[in-house]
Amino acid sequence: MDQNGGSFLAVRRLSGHHPSTADVVSGSTAWIGRGFSCVCVQRRESDTRISFDLTPVQEECLQRLQNRIEVPYDSQNREHQEALKALWHASFPGTELLGLVSDQWKEMGWQGKDPSTDFRGGGFISLENLLYFARNYPKSFEELLCKQNGDRALWEYPFAVAGVNITFMLIQMLDLQAVKPRSLIGAVFLNLLIENDRAFDILYCITFRLMDQKWLEMHATYMDFNTVIKSTRRQLERELLLEDIQQIEDMPSYSFLAR
């Protein structure tokens, strides 16, 4: 996704979040005892930096996810083509897909008839996220795809493109392209990832459902998407720092998901 322009759904690159003094004091430190070596250097109240040394297991776990993130969507790749077809059939079972380039894709919320042009910001993992959502939480997926819940706006967010933006936002929020965690949020998430190697995919599903909940609560419309995404991100960050979060399913917003 072009971060400097393009459609209204292009989520701009946000500056890295580093916890304030209050964050460090109030956030749980239980995870530090599970393999992290933590060195906190505070220059001033608004500029806290945290350095983490990872164990080999943690490095391997993070690297596997980073390898997924680095794969761009390739419209000529057979595996990617099949994944896109699988997403269609999971979304509209019984409806024949006329082609990988077709006006039918607009029904799912892609911006044009060729979905491959919308994957620039999220890469292949954004397609994997959508497909995981459809296969593992089909009821929630259908409700969001078809906008079945709540008093919907006349101008709604396009489902599929919103999904790509959510992948992009999570990668930025968790700073997943860094060699090692540089924030409390990133460190906490890495422990959740060690507990469940599908934690990122599940967090994606939680985020999509939470975003839609925020959308309804804020009576949002077409041009409010970035505001809703920012509100969603803030809640995710708060929940990840709760003391009793031992696995991704412990997040309060997980309860929004229905299989």
Side-chain angles (χ1 to χ4, degrees):
M1 191 67 60
D2 184 355
Q3 298 173 30
N4 298 314
S7 73
F8 83 100
L9 278 179
V11 177
R12 293 171 295 176
R13 184 183 182 92
L14 301 176
S15 59
H17 171 76
H18 298 282
S20 65
T21 304
D23 285 331
V24 175
V25 172
S26 63
S28 170
T29 57
W31 44 266
I32 294 179
R34 289 189 281 161
F36 281 107
S37 174
C38 173
V39 179
C40 302
V41 180
Q42 184 176 335
R43 298 173 183 171
R44 58 181 183 273
E45 184 172 352
S46 62
D47 186 18
T48 303
R49 296 293 183 269
I50 304 177
S51 175
F52 296 95
D53 292 325
L54 305 183
T55 68
V57 172
Q58 291 164 341
E59 288 181 354
E60 181 182 355
C61 191
L62 179 58
Q63 186 62 56
R64 284 198 302 269
L65 179 55
Q66 289 175 332
N67 289 343
R68 293 177 61 196
I69 291 170
E70 291 170 2
V71 178
Y73 180 83
D74 181 358
S75 61
Q76 303 303 313
N77 184 306
R78 183 63 179 271
E79 179 188 356
H80 296 192
Q81 293 175 351
E82 293 303 315
L84 190 56
K85 292 177 184 176
L87 178 62
W88 174 269
H89 293 305
S91 302
F92 304 108
T95 301
E96 181 184 0
L97 176 63
L98 301 180
L100 292 177
V101 178
S102 167
D103 283 330
Q104 287 177 294
W105 290 105
K106 297 177 184 178
E107 298 175 29
M108 194 186 296
W110 300 102
Q111 295 185 98
K113 60 183 181 180
D114 183 1
S116 67
T117 62
D118 289 326
F119 284 118
R120 289 189 299 271
F124 182 56
I125 193 173
S126 60
L127 174 54
E128 291 182 310
N129 290 156
L130 280 166
L131 192 53
Y132 183 90
F133 192 9
R135 288 173 169 170
N136 291 272
Y137 302 96
K139 187 174 186 295
S140 287
F141 182 87
E142 182 179 7
E143 289 174 351
L144 269 60
L145 171 64
C146 301
K147 306 293 196 299
Q148 293 178 349
N149 294 335
D151 184 14
R152 313 303 307 200
L154 179 63
W155 294 96
E156 279 286 324
Y157 63 85
F159 174 80
V161 179
V164 175
N165 277 266
I166 287 171
T167 298
F168 179 82
M169 181 272 285
L170 289 175
I171 292 170
Q172 300 301 308
M173 181 185 84
L174 300 171
D175 200 16
L176 290 175
Q177 292 172 310
V179 174
K180 57 185 178 179
R182 297 183 296 189
S183 69
L184 268 174
I185 296 294
V188 168
F189 175 75
L190 181 53
N191 261 337
L192 301 179
L193 187 64
I194 291 170
E195 295 294 326
N196 185 340
D197 63 1
R198 284 294 183 177
F200 184 78
D201 301 270
I202 298 171
L203 181 60
Y204 171 89
C205 300
I206 293 170
T207 304
F208 212 144
R209 188 77 203 205
L210 176 61
M211 185 277 293
D212 189 75
Q213 185 77 14
K214 294 278 188 182
W215 180 274
L216 293 173
E217 290 174 356
M218 297 168 68
H219 305 287
T221 60
Y222 189 81
M223 296 301 293
D224 298 322
F225 184 82
N226 284 338
T227 300
V228 176
I229 276 287
K230 289 176 182 177
S231 176
T232 302
R233 172 173 172 159
R234 287 193 294 270
Q235 180 159 338
L236 290 172
E237 291 173 335
R238 288 194 297 269
E239 291 190 16
L240 284 168
L241 291 178
L242 293 174
E243 291 190 6
D244 56 350
I245 304 300
Q246 302 298 317
Q247 56 185 0
I248 198 71
E249 293 88 350
D250 292 335
M251 292 181 65
S253 291
Y254 180 77
S255 63
F256 292 145
L257 283 174
R259 294 181 182 272

